[in-house]
Amino acid sequence: MGVGLGLQKMMKATASKALVIRMNLVFLAFFFIIYVGLFLQPSSSIYFENAASLVRCSLRECHHKVEKGMKMEAILEESSKAKPKRLNVSKIEVPSFMNAMGKGVKIGMVNMDEFDTDEWKVRGETIPINFEPVSEYFKWQDLFPEWIDEEEESDIPSCPEIPMPNFRIYDNMDVIVAKLPCRYPEEGWGRDVFRLQVHLIVANLAVKKGKRDWKWRTKVVFWSKCRPMLEMFRCDDLVRQEGEFWWYYQPVIARLEQKVSLPVGSCKLALPLWGQGVDEVYDLSRIKSATKIAKREAYATVLHSSEAYVCGAITLAQSLRKTGTKRDLVLLIDNSISIPKREALTAAGWKIRIIKRIRNPRAEKKTYNEYNYSKFRLWQLTDYDKIIFIDADIIVLRNLDLLFHFPQMSATGNDIWIFNSGIMVIEPSNCTFRILMSKRKEIVSYNGGDQGFLNEVYVWWHRLPRRVNFLKNFWANTTLEASVKNHLFGADPPKLYAIHYLGLKPWACYRDYDCNWDIGNQRVYASDVAHERWWKLHDSMDDKLQKFCGLTKRRRIDLDWDRKKAREAGLPDQHWRINVTDPRRSESHLID
Ligand SMILES: *[C@@H]1O[C@H](CO)[C@@H](O)[C@H](O)[C@H]1NC(C)=O
Ligand SMILES: *[C@@H]1O[C@H](CO)[C@@H](O)[C@H](O)[C@H]1NC(C)=O
Ligand SMILES: *[C@@H]1O[C@H](CO)[C@@H](O)[C@H](O)[C@H]1NC(C)=O
Ligand SMILES: *[C@@H]1O[C@H](CO)[C@@H](O)[C@H](O)[C@H]1NC(C)=O
Ligand SMILES: *[C@@H]1O[C@H](CO)[C@@H](O)[C@H](O)[C@H]1NC(C)=O
C-alpha cells in the first residue's frame, strides 16, 4: 500500500499556483541545500547518480529535472553500439506458421539483419524498416520521471522523443517480423529503452501499416529470448509459440491504437488534469476508440488474511456509491472473513467472491505481507473486461468512471519510475493471471508486496493524475506542504478524487484526532483534516454498517499505550492532550 522507496519522498509537497510563484526562489535555495546533502548520502538511488539532471523545485514538489534536449541529441557515434551484438547462432530459421500465410506476402522486417532475412524472401517481399536506434544515454527515467508538473504551474510536461521510422514511405504489410533485444537476466533488463523502442515501432507499424482481417486483427511475429512486453502485446493475442524464440501474435488493432496514442511513458499524464479547475470534462475522443463497446466494467478490492480492513472496505463501497457510479462493486475475500462481516460488506454494496489467497513464496512466514499476492486474483475476474482496483484504505470523493477508458496499466506515480498499486486500471485475463503466478518465485519485489511485483511486470505504465489516488503523507515536513495538502483533503466540494490513508487507518484511531500523531515514525502520515473527512463519511453510513468500525480490545490497549508514550515524550503537537470523547472507547462498543 504504497510506502515508498526513499529519501526523495521527503521532498514532496503540493501548493496553490499563486504561492508557488512567490516562493519558488526561496525554496529552490532551501531544497538545493538539502539535495546537496542527499547527493552525499551513500545510499542515494541510481536515479540521483545520473549527471545531467538539475534540481528543480516548486512548492508543490521538489525533484530532478532531466535535461532532455541534450540527451536526445544523441551522440550519434554511439548508436552503432546500441545494436545488439550478433549472436554466434546459425541463421534464424523461418518458423513453420509462416507456411500458413502462403506465398507472396509482404513482410515488414524490424531490427533483423540482412543475414536473417534471406530465407524469408521465398515467402514474398521483405521490407526492411529503417530506424535510428536510441542513444544508450537515453535512460528509463527520462521516460518515467519521478515527478512531472501535472498541473502545469511552471512547465508543460513533455516526453523525450524516441526515434521512429518514417512510416509513410512504406506500403501496407501482411505481417511484421521483429527481433527483440533482450538483456535478461542482466540487472535492470526489463527497463531497457532500446527494447521499448523496438516494441513501439512494431506497435505503430501494426496500427499504421498492418493489414487487418475481418476481426480487425493484424499479424505480428517476434524473435525473442524474453516474452514480448505484455503491456503492449497481450498474452491473449498470442496465437503460437514455436521453438524457444518465436512468438506469433494477432493483436486487436483498436487496443494497440489506443496504447500508441498515449504518451510513451509517465513523462506526461495519460489524462491531463481534467482542466485546471478540475471541473472541466476532459476530451476523451482520443482515447475512447478501444472502449466503445466494453461495458463489462467494475470497481474491485481484495480482503485477505484478516478482518482488519473490513471497515475500510465498507466505507470504500459507500463512498463509491455516493459518487453515483452504476458499475458493479466486486469484493474478493478469503475465508478469514466471517459470515456477519460478509453480510455487512454485501449490505454496503459489494458483490462478494470467495478466493483462495496467494502466498508470496519469497515472504517470511507469518509476516504482514505474506499473502499480498492475493491481488493477482483480480485478473481472474474474466467476466469483466476492465477493473478499477482500489485499496481498502482509500475513500473515493469524486466519480472515477472516466478511468474505465484507460488501458492496463494505468496508475498514479509513487517513487522513481514506480507506480502506486493503490488504484490501478487492469484488464482481467486468464493467461495474464497464469503469467503472474509463474513469476512469483523469479521476481524480487522491492518492498515484498504486490506493488513491487507488479512494477516489475508492468514497467511500461500510464500516469494518472495524483489527485486520483492522493496519498496522505507529508514527506516535505513543511507547514506549507501541510496547509496545501490539508486544504485539498478538506475541500468541499471535493477537489481530490480519492484519499489514500497511509499509516494507521482512521478506523483504528479514536475519532478525536489522527492517531498517527502519537507515534514517532508515523507522524508523516498524520492529518486531522483527512481524518475528519473520513469520519464524516463514516457518520453518513447506516448505523448497522458503522458498527463494523469499532475498536477491538487489543486495539484500544495499543491506542492508550501510544498516547501514554506520546505524553511521556512530550510530543510538541500535543495531540496526546486532547481528551478522548469517542464513544467507541466504551466497553459496550468494543468489537471482536
Ligand atoms: C561460431 O560457431 C561455429 C560453430 O557453430 C564455430 O565454428 C565458430 O568458431 C564460432 N565463431 C565464433 C566467432 O565464436
Ligand atoms: C478463465 O478461466 C475460468 C476458470 O478457469 C473460466 O471459467 C473462464 O471462462 C475463463 N475465462 C475466459 C475469458 O476464458
Ligand atoms: C500487504 O497487505 C497488507 C494488508 O492487506 C497491507 O497492510 C500492506 O501494506 C501490504 N504490504 C505491501 C508491502 O504492499
Ligand atoms: C519535521 O520537522 C520537525 C521540526 O520542524 C522535526 O522536529 C521533525 O523531526 C521533522 N520530521 C521528519 C520526519 O523529518
Ligand atoms: C480534559 O479533561 C480534564 C478532566 O477531565 C480537564 O481537566 C482538562 O481541562 C480537559 N482538557 C481539555 C483539553 O479539554
Side-chain angles (χ1 to χ4, degrees), residues 87 180-192 195 224-228 244-245 247 362 438-439 441-444 456:
L87 301 168
L180 293 176
C182 167
R183 302 203 324 251
Y184 180 85
E186 222 176 274
E187 171 101 24
W189 68 274
R191 295 190 172 87
D192 173 348
R195 180 163 176 262
S224 175
K225 192 164 64 153
C226 355
R227 171 180 284 281
E244 257 183 284
F245 298 112
W247 309 77
R362 288 176 170 270
S438 70
K439 288 181 187 267
K441 281 221 177 74
E442 169 202 331
I443 289 182
V444 182
E456 295 311 307

PDB file of all heavy atoms in Angstrom, residues 87 180-192 195 224-228 244-245 247 362 438-439 441-444 456:
ATOM      1  N   LEU A  87      24.684 -12.745 -32.355  1.00  0.00           N
ATOM      2  CA  LEU A  87      24.999 -13.956 -31.611  1.00  0.00           C
ATOM      3  C   LEU A  87      25.588 -14.962 -32.586  1.00  0.00           C
ATOM      4  O   LEU A  87      25.225 -14.978 -33.758  1.00  0.00           O
ATOM      5  CB  LEU A  87      23.715 -14.544 -31.011  1.00  0.00           C
ATOM      6  CG  LEU A  87      22.964 -13.617 -30.070  1.00  0.00           C
ATOM      7  CD1 LEU A  87      21.576 -14.170 -29.782  1.00  0.00           C
ATOM      8  CD2 LEU A  87      23.734 -13.450 -28.773  1.00  0.00           C
ATOM      9  N   LEU A 180      13.538  -8.849 -31.075  1.00  0.00           N
ATOM     10  CA  LEU A 180      13.515  -8.005 -29.887  1.00  0.00           C
ATOM     11  C   LEU A 180      14.812  -8.160 -29.112  1.00  0.00           C
ATOM     12  O   LEU A 180      15.260  -9.279 -28.872  1.00  0.00           O
ATOM     13  CB  LEU A 180      12.366  -8.426 -28.965  1.00  0.00           C
ATOM     14  CG  LEU A 180      10.950  -8.204 -29.479  1.00  0.00           C
ATOM     15  CD1 LEU A 180       9.945  -8.772 -28.482  1.00  0.00           C
ATOM     16  CD2 LEU A 180      10.691  -6.720 -29.686  1.00  0.00           C
ATOM     17  N   PRO A 181      15.403  -7.037 -28.704  1.00  0.00           N
ATOM     18  CA  PRO A 181      16.562  -7.148 -27.823  1.00  0.00           C
ATOM     19  C   PRO A 181      16.112  -7.695 -26.473  1.00  0.00           C
ATOM     20  O   PRO A 181      14.977  -7.434 -26.047  1.00  0.00           O
ATOM     21  CB  PRO A 181      17.062  -5.715 -27.694  1.00  0.00           C
ATOM     22  CG  PRO A 181      16.020  -4.830 -28.266  1.00  0.00           C
ATOM     23  CD  PRO A 181      15.000  -5.659 -28.975  1.00  0.00           C
ATOM     24  N   CYS A 182      16.962  -8.459 -25.832  1.00  0.00           N
ATOM     25  CA  CYS A 182      16.616  -8.994 -24.518  1.00  0.00           C
ATOM     26  C   CYS A 182      17.891  -9.182 -23.729  1.00  0.00           C
ATOM     27  O   CYS A 182      18.705 -10.024 -24.074  1.00  0.00           O
ATOM     28  CB  CYS A 182      15.897 -10.338 -24.676  1.00  0.00           C
ATOM     29  SG  CYS A 182      15.752 -11.245 -23.127  1.00  0.00           S
ATOM     30  N   ARG A 183      18.069  -8.386 -22.702  1.00  0.00           N
ATOM     31  CA  ARG A 183      19.295  -8.471 -21.902  1.00  0.00           C
ATOM     32  C   ARG A 183      19.118  -9.358 -20.666  1.00  0.00           C
ATOM     33  O   ARG A 183      19.978  -9.409 -19.800  1.00  0.00           O
ATOM     34  CB  ARG A 183      19.757  -7.071 -21.482  1.00  0.00           C
ATOM     35  CG  ARG A 183      20.014  -6.130 -22.652  1.00  0.00           C
ATOM     36  CD  ARG A 183      20.967  -5.017 -22.256  1.00  0.00           C
ATOM     37  NE  ARG A 183      20.743  -4.589 -20.872  1.00  0.00           N
ATOM     38  CZ  ARG A 183      20.194  -3.423 -20.534  1.00  0.00           C
ATOM     39  NH1 ARG A 183      19.847  -2.568 -21.451  1.00  0.00           N
ATOM     40  NH2 ARG A 183      20.006  -3.121 -19.263  1.00  0.00           N
ATOM     41  N   TYR A 184      17.969 -10.031 -20.606  1.00  0.00           N
ATOM     42  CA  TYR A 184      17.734 -10.926 -19.482  1.00  0.00           C
ATOM     43  C   TYR A 184      18.872 -11.931 -19.399  1.00  0.00           C
ATOM     44  O   TYR A 184      19.306 -12.424 -20.442  1.00  0.00           O
ATOM     45  CB  TYR A 184      16.404 -11.666 -19.679  1.00  0.00           C
ATOM     46  CG  TYR A 184      16.057 -12.633 -18.573  1.00  0.00           C
ATOM     47  CD1 TYR A 184      15.413 -12.190 -17.427  1.00  0.00           C
ATOM     48  CD2 TYR A 184      16.406 -13.971 -18.673  1.00  0.00           C
ATOM     49  CE1 TYR A 184      15.108 -13.068 -16.404  1.00  0.00           C
ATOM     50  CE2 TYR A 184      16.110 -14.851 -17.637  1.00  0.00           C
ATOM     51  CZ  TYR A 184      15.463 -14.396 -16.515  1.00  0.00           C
ATOM     52  OH  TYR A 184      15.174 -15.258 -15.493  1.00  0.00           O
ATOM     53  N   PRO A 185      19.373 -12.321 -18.255  1.00  0.00           N
ATOM     54  CA  PRO A 185      18.964 -11.922 -16.901  1.00  0.00           C
ATOM     55  C   PRO A 185      19.792 -10.784 -16.311  1.00  0.00           C
ATOM     56  O   PRO A 185      19.873 -10.650 -15.093  1.00  0.00           O
ATOM     57  CB  PRO A 185      19.211 -13.203 -16.115  1.00  0.00           C
ATOM     58  CG  PRO A 185      20.400 -13.834 -16.798  1.00  0.00           C
ATOM     59  CD  PRO A 185      20.394 -13.357 -18.228  1.00  0.00           C
ATOM     60  N   GLU A 186      20.349  -9.960 -17.154  1.00  0.00           N
ATOM     61  CA  GLU A 186      21.117  -8.827 -16.663  1.00  0.00           C
ATOM     62  C   GLU A 186      20.242  -7.967 -15.732  1.00  0.00           C
ATOM     63  O   GLU A 186      19.066  -7.792 -15.993  1.00  0.00           O
ATOM     64  CB  GLU A 186      21.489  -7.974 -17.876  1.00  0.00           C
ATOM     65  CG  GLU A 186      22.871  -7.418 -17.923  1.00  0.00           C
ATOM     66  CD  GLU A 186      23.074  -6.696 -19.249  1.00  0.00           C
ATOM     67  OE1 GLU A 186      23.435  -7.358 -20.249  1.00  0.00           O
ATOM     68  OE2 GLU A 186      22.820  -5.488 -19.280  1.00  0.00           O
ATOM     69  N   GLU A 187      20.847  -7.392 -14.728  1.00  0.00           N
ATOM     70  CA  GLU A 187      20.129  -6.493 -13.824  1.00  0.00           C
ATOM     71  C   GLU A 187      19.471  -5.353 -14.624  1.00  0.00           C
ATOM     72  O   GLU A 187      20.113  -4.739 -15.468  1.00  0.00           O
ATOM     73  CB  GLU A 187      21.157  -5.935 -12.826  1.00  0.00           C
ATOM     74  CG  GLU A 187      20.663  -4.828 -11.955  1.00  0.00           C
ATOM     75  CD  GLU A 187      20.309  -5.327 -10.558  1.00  0.00           C
ATOM     76  OE1 GLU A 187      20.863  -6.368 -10.151  1.00  0.00           O
ATOM     77  OE2 GLU A 187      19.490  -4.662  -9.896  1.00  0.00           O
ATOM     78  N   GLY A 188      18.239  -5.086 -14.339  1.00  0.00           N
ATOM     79  CA  GLY A 188      17.543  -3.966 -14.997  1.00  0.00           C
ATOM     80  C   GLY A 188      17.171  -4.227 -16.453  1.00  0.00           C
ATOM     81  O   GLY A 188      16.824  -3.302 -17.170  1.00  0.00           O
ATOM     82  N   TRP A 189      17.198  -5.477 -16.872  1.00  0.00           N
ATOM     83  CA  TRP A 189      16.918  -5.787 -18.290  1.00  0.00           C
ATOM     84  C   TRP A 189      15.522  -5.355 -18.720  1.00  0.00           C
ATOM     85  O   TRP A 189      15.290  -5.030 -19.871  1.00  0.00           O
ATOM     86  CB  TRP A 189      17.082  -7.289 -18.559  1.00  0.00           C
ATOM     87  CG  TRP A 189      16.029  -8.114 -17.870  1.00  0.00           C
ATOM     88  CD1 TRP A 189      16.077  -8.589 -16.591  1.00  0.00           C
ATOM     89  CD2 TRP A 189      14.770  -8.527 -18.407  1.00  0.00           C
ATOM     90  NE1 TRP A 189      14.917  -9.262 -16.297  1.00  0.00           N
ATOM     91  CE2 TRP A 189      14.102  -9.243 -17.393  1.00  0.00           C
ATOM     92  CE3 TRP A 189      14.140  -8.364 -19.645  1.00  0.00           C
ATOM     93  CZ2 TRP A 189      12.831  -9.791 -17.578  1.00  0.00           C
ATOM     94  CZ3 TRP A 189      12.874  -8.904 -19.820  1.00  0.00           C
ATOM     95  CH2 TRP A 189      12.238  -9.604 -18.791  1.00  0.00           C
ATOM     96  N   GLY A 190      14.591  -5.335 -17.767  1.00  0.00           N
ATOM     97  CA  GLY A 190      13.201  -5.023 -18.098  1.00  0.00           C
ATOM     98  C   GLY A 190      13.010  -3.563 -18.485  1.00  0.00           C
ATOM     99  O   GLY A 190      12.096  -3.227 -19.221  1.00  0.00           O
ATOM    100  N   ARG A 191      13.862  -2.687 -17.940  1.00  0.00           N
ATOM    101  CA  ARG A 191      13.706  -1.256 -18.231  1.00  0.00           C
ATOM    102  C   ARG A 191      14.773  -0.823 -19.232  1.00  0.00           C
ATOM    103  O   ARG A 191      15.620  -0.001 -18.951  1.00  0.00           O
ATOM    104  CB  ARG A 191      13.770  -0.449 -16.925  1.00  0.00           C
ATOM    105  CG  ARG A 191      12.604  -0.758 -15.990  1.00  0.00           C
ATOM    106  CD  ARG A 191      12.503   0.190 -14.811  1.00  0.00           C
ATOM    107  NE  ARG A 191      11.271  -0.060 -14.072  1.00  0.00           N
ATOM    108  CZ  ARG A 191      11.147  -0.960 -13.101  1.00  0.00           C
ATOM    109  NH1 ARG A 191      12.190  -1.688 -12.741  1.00  0.00           N
ATOM    110  NH2 ARG A 191       9.986  -1.131 -12.498  1.00  0.00           N
ATOM    111  N   ASP A 192      14.682  -1.397 -20.415  1.00  0.00           N
ATOM    112  CA  ASP A 192      15.669  -1.207 -21.464  1.00  0.00           C
ATOM    113  C   ASP A 192      15.000  -0.368 -22.556  1.00  0.00           C
ATOM    114  O   ASP A 192      14.013  -0.791 -23.166  1.00  0.00           O
ATOM    115  CB  ASP A 192      16.066  -2.613 -21.959  1.00  0.00           C
ATOM    116  CG  ASP A 192      16.971  -2.592 -23.175  1.00  0.00           C
ATOM    117  OD1 ASP A 192      17.127  -1.525 -23.804  1.00  0.00           O
ATOM    118  OD2 ASP A 192      17.504  -3.671 -23.509  1.00  0.00           O
ATOM    119  N   ARG A 195      14.791  -1.841 -26.079  1.00  0.00           N
ATOM    120  CA  ARG A 195      13.768  -2.877 -26.168  1.00  0.00           C
ATOM    121  C   ARG A 195      12.377  -2.243 -26.331  1.00  0.00           C
ATOM    122  O   ARG A 195      11.576  -2.669 -27.156  1.00  0.00           O
ATOM    123  CB  ARG A 195      13.841  -3.735 -24.893  1.00  0.00           C
ATOM    124  CG  ARG A 195      12.839  -4.854 -24.823  1.00  0.00           C
ATOM    125  CD  ARG A 195      13.252  -5.879 -23.771  1.00  0.00           C
ATOM    126  NE  ARG A 195      12.231  -6.898 -23.634  1.00  0.00           N
ATOM    127  CZ  ARG A 195      11.293  -6.905 -22.684  1.00  0.00           C
ATOM    128  NH1 ARG A 195      11.271  -5.948 -21.776  1.00  0.00           N
ATOM    129  NH2 ARG A 195      10.401  -7.864 -22.655  1.00  0.00           N
ATOM    130  N   SER A 224      12.462 -13.609 -30.037  1.00  0.00           N
ATOM    131  CA  SER A 224      12.939 -13.032 -28.780  1.00  0.00           C
ATOM    132  C   SER A 224      13.163 -14.090 -27.719  1.00  0.00           C
ATOM    133  O   SER A 224      12.392 -15.033 -27.580  1.00  0.00           O
ATOM    134  CB  SER A 224      11.912 -12.023 -28.257  1.00  0.00           C
ATOM    135  OG  SER A 224      12.294 -11.549 -26.984  1.00  0.00           O
ATOM    136  N   LYS A 225      14.245 -13.887 -26.982  1.00  0.00           N
ATOM    137  CA  LYS A 225      14.566 -14.772 -25.871  1.00  0.00           C
ATOM    138  C   LYS A 225      13.594 -14.536 -24.714  1.00  0.00           C
ATOM    139  O   LYS A 225      13.227 -15.451 -24.001  1.00  0.00           O
ATOM    140  CB  LYS A 225      16.002 -14.453 -25.423  1.00  0.00           C
ATOM    141  CG  LYS A 225      16.626 -15.424 -24.501  1.00  0.00           C
ATOM    142  CD  LYS A 225      18.144 -15.219 -24.461  1.00  0.00           C
ATOM    143  CE  LYS A 225      18.526 -13.859 -23.899  1.00  0.00           C
ATOM    144  NZ  LYS A 225      19.833 -13.785 -23.255  1.00  0.00           N
ATOM    145  N   CYS A 226      13.190 -13.255 -24.500  1.00  0.00           N
ATOM    146  CA  CYS A 226      12.209 -12.998 -23.430  1.00  0.00           C
ATOM    147  C   CYS A 226      10.832 -12.788 -24.033  1.00  0.00           C
ATOM    148  O   CYS A 226      10.698 -12.421 -25.190  1.00  0.00           O
ATOM    149  CB  CYS A 226      12.535 -11.775 -22.581  1.00  0.00           C
ATOM    150  SG  CYS A 226      14.044 -10.902 -22.838  1.00  0.00           S
ATOM    151  N   ARG A 227       9.839 -12.985 -23.187  1.00  0.00           N
ATOM    152  CA  ARG A 227       8.463 -12.721 -23.624  1.00  0.00           C
ATOM    153  C   ARG A 227       8.333 -11.266 -24.054  1.00  0.00           C
ATOM    154  O   ARG A 227       8.790 -10.368 -23.362  1.00  0.00           O
ATOM    155  CB  ARG A 227       7.524 -12.992 -22.446  1.00  0.00           C
ATOM    156  CG  ARG A 227       6.084 -12.544 -22.677  1.00  0.00           C
ATOM    157  CD  ARG A 227       5.212 -12.852 -21.472  1.00  0.00           C
ATOM    158  NE  ARG A 227       4.884 -14.264 -21.410  1.00  0.00           N
ATOM    159  CZ  ARG A 227       3.937 -14.855 -22.144  1.00  0.00           C
ATOM    160  NH1 ARG A 227       3.215 -14.155 -22.991  1.00  0.00           N
ATOM    161  NH2 ARG A 227       3.704 -16.135 -22.018  1.00  0.00           N
ATOM    162  N   PRO A 228       7.713 -11.022 -25.211  1.00  0.00           N
ATOM    163  CA  PRO A 228       7.460  -9.627 -25.601  1.00  0.00           C
ATOM    164  C   PRO A 228       6.680  -8.908 -24.498  1.00  0.00           C
ATOM    165  O   PRO A 228       5.940  -9.544 -23.744  1.00  0.00           O
ATOM    166  CB  PRO A 228       6.637  -9.782 -26.880  1.00  0.00           C
ATOM    167  CG  PRO A 228       7.023 -11.114 -27.431  1.00  0.00           C
ATOM    168  CD  PRO A 228       7.274 -11.980 -26.239  1.00  0.00           C
ATOM    169  N   GLU A 244      12.182 -21.977 -29.087  1.00  0.00           N
ATOM    170  CA  GLU A 244      12.416 -21.176 -27.899  1.00  0.00           C
ATOM    171  C   GLU A 244      12.138 -19.708 -28.142  1.00  0.00           C
ATOM    172  O   GLU A 244      11.950 -18.932 -27.223  1.00  0.00           O
ATOM    173  CB  GLU A 244      13.889 -21.302 -27.527  1.00  0.00           C
ATOM    174  CG  GLU A 244      14.181 -22.217 -26.381  1.00  0.00           C
ATOM    175  CD  GLU A 244      15.665 -22.166 -26.103  1.00  0.00           C
ATOM    176  OE1 GLU A 244      16.437 -22.771 -26.878  1.00  0.00           O
ATOM    177  OE2 GLU A 244      16.052 -21.505 -25.131  1.00  0.00           O
ATOM    178  N   PHE A 245      12.163 -19.302 -29.422  1.00  0.00           N
ATOM    179  CA  PHE A 245      12.265 -17.878 -29.696  1.00  0.00           C
ATOM    180  C   PHE A 245      11.097 -17.243 -30.439  1.00  0.00           C
ATOM    181  O   PHE A 245      10.988 -16.032 -30.468  1.00  0.00           O
ATOM    182  CB  PHE A 245      13.548 -17.598 -30.490  1.00  0.00           C
ATOM    183  CG  PHE A 245      14.800 -17.955 -29.741  1.00  0.00           C
ATOM    184  CD1 PHE A 245      15.597 -19.014 -30.153  1.00  0.00           C
ATOM    185  CD2 PHE A 245      15.174 -17.234 -28.616  1.00  0.00           C
ATOM    186  CE1 PHE A 245      16.757 -19.333 -29.456  1.00  0.00           C
ATOM    187  CE2 PHE A 245      16.325 -17.547 -27.915  1.00  0.00           C
ATOM    188  CZ  PHE A 245      17.119 -18.614 -28.337  1.00  0.00           C
ATOM    189  N   TRP A 247       7.388 -16.028 -31.380  1.00  0.00           N
ATOM    190  CA  TRP A 247       6.111 -15.615 -30.779  1.00  0.00           C
ATOM    191  C   TRP A 247       5.247 -15.035 -31.886  1.00  0.00           C
ATOM    192  O   TRP A 247       5.649 -14.062 -32.523  1.00  0.00           O
ATOM    193  CB  TRP A 247       6.332 -14.531 -29.727  1.00  0.00           C
ATOM    194  CG  TRP A 247       7.363 -14.842 -28.689  1.00  0.00           C
ATOM    195  CD1 TRP A 247       8.717 -14.785 -28.838  1.00  0.00           C
ATOM    196  CD2 TRP A 247       7.130 -15.251 -27.338  1.00  0.00           C
ATOM    197  NE1 TRP A 247       9.339 -15.127 -27.652  1.00  0.00           N
ATOM    198  CE2 TRP A 247       8.384 -15.408 -26.719  1.00  0.00           C
ATOM    199  CE3 TRP A 247       5.970 -15.487 -26.585  1.00  0.00           C
ATOM    200  CZ2 TRP A 247       8.524 -15.798 -25.384  1.00  0.00           C
ATOM    201  CZ3 TRP A 247       6.110 -15.857 -25.264  1.00  0.00           C
ATOM    202  CH2 TRP A 247       7.375 -16.022 -24.677  1.00  0.00           C
ATOM    203  N   ARG A 362       8.458 -15.747  -1.553  1.00  0.00           N
ATOM    204  CA  ARG A 362       9.665 -15.122  -1.022  1.00  0.00           C
ATOM    205  C   ARG A 362       9.436 -14.461   0.341  1.00  0.00           C
ATOM    206  O   ARG A 362      10.374 -13.984   0.964  1.00  0.00           O
ATOM    207  CB  ARG A 362      10.171 -14.056  -1.993  1.00  0.00           C
ATOM    208  CG  ARG A 362      10.771 -14.641  -3.252  1.00  0.00           C
ATOM    209  CD  ARG A 362      11.161 -13.539  -4.208  1.00  0.00           C
ATOM    210  NE  ARG A 362      11.947 -14.074  -5.308  1.00  0.00           N
ATOM    211  CZ  ARG A 362      13.274 -14.172  -5.270  1.00  0.00           C
ATOM    212  NH1 ARG A 362      13.949 -13.741  -4.225  1.00  0.00           N
ATOM    213  NH2 ARG A 362      13.926 -14.688  -6.288  1.00  0.00           N
ATOM    214  N   SER A 438       3.287 -17.593 -12.423  1.00  0.00           N
ATOM    215  CA  SER A 438       4.521 -18.304 -12.763  1.00  0.00           C
ATOM    216  C   SER A 438       5.757 -17.477 -12.429  1.00  0.00           C
ATOM    217  O   SER A 438       6.853 -18.008 -12.322  1.00  0.00           O
ATOM    218  CB  SER A 438       4.524 -18.677 -14.245  1.00  0.00           C
ATOM    219  OG  SER A 438       4.676 -17.501 -15.015  1.00  0.00           O
ATOM    220  N   LYS A 439       5.584 -16.176 -12.255  1.00  0.00           N
ATOM    221  CA  LYS A 439       6.742 -15.330 -11.961  1.00  0.00           C
ATOM    222  C   LYS A 439       6.940 -15.074 -10.465  1.00  0.00           C
ATOM    223  O   LYS A 439       7.820 -14.307 -10.081  1.00  0.00           O
ATOM    224  CB  LYS A 439       6.588 -13.980 -12.676  1.00  0.00           C
ATOM    225  CG  LYS A 439       6.776 -14.069 -14.180  1.00  0.00           C
ATOM    226  CD  LYS A 439       6.632 -12.675 -14.793  1.00  0.00           C
ATOM    227  CE  LYS A 439       6.652 -12.739 -16.302  1.00  0.00           C
ATOM    228  NZ  LYS A 439       7.983 -12.542 -16.876  1.00  0.00           N
ATOM    229  N   LYS A 441       8.175 -16.693  -8.024  1.00  0.00           N
ATOM    230  CA  LYS A 441       9.476 -17.025  -7.438  1.00  0.00           C
ATOM    231  C   LYS A 441      10.583 -16.159  -8.009  1.00  0.00           C
ATOM    232  O   LYS A 441      11.449 -15.677  -7.303  1.00  0.00           O
ATOM    233  CB  LYS A 441       9.799 -18.499  -7.711  1.00  0.00           C
ATOM    234  CG  LYS A 441       9.086 -19.449  -6.792  1.00  0.00           C
ATOM    235  CD  LYS A 441      10.028 -20.588  -6.340  1.00  0.00           C
ATOM    236  CE  LYS A 441       9.346 -21.516  -5.361  1.00  0.00           C
ATOM    237  NZ  LYS A 441       8.352 -22.386  -6.030  1.00  0.00           N
ATOM    238  N   GLU A 442      10.492 -15.960  -9.318  1.00  0.00           N
ATOM    239  CA  GLU A 442      11.597 -15.314 -10.035  1.00  0.00           C
ATOM    240  C   GLU A 442      11.710 -13.823  -9.698  1.00  0.00           C
ATOM    241  O   GLU A 442      12.800 -13.295  -9.493  1.00  0.00           O
ATOM    242  CB  GLU A 442      11.326 -15.515 -11.534  1.00  0.00           C
ATOM    243  CG  GLU A 442      12.181 -14.725 -12.476  1.00  0.00           C
ATOM    244  CD  GLU A 442      11.481 -14.583 -13.833  1.00  0.00           C
ATOM    245  OE1 GLU A 442      10.691 -15.478 -14.222  1.00  0.00           O
ATOM    246  OE2 GLU A 442      11.722 -13.571 -14.492  1.00  0.00           O
ATOM    247  N   ILE A 443      10.564 -13.137  -9.626  1.00  0.00           N
ATOM    248  CA  ILE A 443      10.601 -11.682  -9.471  1.00  0.00           C
ATOM    249  C   ILE A 443      10.811 -11.292  -8.019  1.00  0.00           C
ATOM    250  O   ILE A 443      10.147 -11.790  -7.116  1.00  0.00           O
ATOM    251  CB  ILE A 443       9.304 -11.043 -10.014  1.00  0.00           C
ATOM    252  CG1 ILE A 443       9.288 -11.151 -11.539  1.00  0.00           C
ATOM    253  CG2 ILE A 443       9.187  -9.593  -9.563  1.00  0.00           C
ATOM    254  CD1 ILE A 443       8.084 -10.522 -12.193  1.00  0.00           C
ATOM    255  N   VAL A 444      11.762 -10.394  -7.814  1.00  0.00           N
ATOM    256  CA  VAL A 444      12.002  -9.884  -6.475  1.00  0.00           C
ATOM    257  C   VAL A 444      11.268  -8.557  -6.346  1.00  0.00           C
ATOM    258  O   VAL A 444      11.511  -7.635  -7.107  1.00  0.00           O
ATOM    259  CB  VAL A 444      13.510  -9.666  -6.235  1.00  0.00           C
ATOM    260  CG1 VAL A 444      13.757  -9.190  -4.812  1.00  0.00           C
ATOM    261  CG2 VAL A 444      14.276 -10.941  -6.522  1.00  0.00           C
ATOM    262  N   GLU A 456       7.476  -4.714 -11.615  1.00  0.00           N
ATOM    263  CA  GLU A 456       8.446  -5.416 -12.453  1.00  0.00           C
ATOM    264  C   GLU A 456       7.771  -6.023 -13.678  1.00  0.00           C
ATOM    265  O   GLU A 456       8.399  -6.188 -14.713  1.00  0.00           O
ATOM    266  CB  GLU A 456       9.177  -6.508 -11.654  1.00  0.00           C
ATOM    267  CG  GLU A 456      10.044  -5.970 -10.516  1.00  0.00           C
ATOM    268  CD  GLU A 456      10.953  -4.825 -10.954  1.00  0.00           C
ATOM    269  OE1 GLU A 456      11.693  -4.982 -11.938  1.00  0.00           O
ATOM    270  OE2 GLU A 456      10.902  -3.748 -10.316  1.00  0.00           O
TER     271      GLU A 456
END
